[in-house]
Amino acid sequence: LAVLAGLATNLAGVARRGHAPTALPRALAEVSSALGDAYPATVLVLAGMASVGSSEPLLSARSLATPALAVLVKCAVFPLATRTLALALGPLVSGAATPTETLDFAFLYGTLATSNVALVIASCYELAPKTVGLVAATLSLSKLVGFPPALASAACLRPALPSHL
């Protein structure tokens, strides 16, 4: 619905003025803003509800090995691999950012916790309940262990603030 509203707004602007409008109409902008403001809270509530009981498989040492290895790879290897890939690709948009900022962003992006979308995808394939539980446990452990490195990376890579602020 939002895509169609945006397309209709752009087409109406092109028909009237010969070019697309630079801003959304006020009524549409207010509705979009209200929906956008409500989205993060809704996602956090749903993610919390989906995570209830997901750390239960981590209580036995035998089933902890696979999630621990996956989290170690995600927290240690993935940020470095993401930064290396960004370095190999070079600047994708000329003048968008300095090379250092692009590489820092790639590293920081690599430290972010894995989304619960992985659990939704695993659930769609009708895997064994034990396997889905293992995916849920890995995601829980990833969020718990992955947050401090992400916070530390963000603090270390924060650009200097302008002097007038």
Side-chain angles (χ1 to χ4, degrees):
L1 186 60
V3 172
L4 294 177
L7 183 61
T9 301
N10 282 336
L11 291 176
V14 169
R16 275 187 290 185
R17 296 183 206 102
H19 60 82
T22 57
L24 288 174
R26 185 174 178 206
L28 188 59
E30 288 176 2
V31 170
S32 297
S33 178
L35 290 174
D37 290 343
Y39 181 75
T42 306
V43 167
L44 290 175
V45 168
L46 292 175
M49 289 170 49
S51 297
V52 171
S54 62
S55 59
E56 191 173 316
L58 299 176
L59 297 178
S60 74
R62 183 175 183 169
S63 61
L64 180 64
T66 302
L69 180 63
V71 169
L72 178 68
V73 168
K74 170 67 179 94
C75 291
V77 176
F78 192 65
L80 296 173
T82 307
R83 190 176 197 281
T84 303
L85 184 62
L87 181 64
L89 291 174
L92 298 178
V93 178
S94 62
T98 65
T100 304
E101 288 174 337
T102 303
L103 295 176
D104 289 348
F105 173 78
F107 183 83
L108 182 61
Y109 188 76
T111 63
L112 296 177
T114 306
S115 170
N116 279 349
V117 172
L119 184 58
V120 173
I121 293 170
S123 300
C124 289
Y125 285 104
E126 298 178 10
L127 300 172
K130 185 176 179 180
T131 304
V132 174
L134 197 61
V135 171
T138 304
L139 291 174
S140 294
L141 187 63
S142 174
K143 290 173 187 161
L144 182 69
V145 173
F147 181 72
L151 186 62
S153 297
C156 292
L157 300 176
R158 182 179 59 131
L161 294 175
S163 60
H164 66 280
L165 292 178

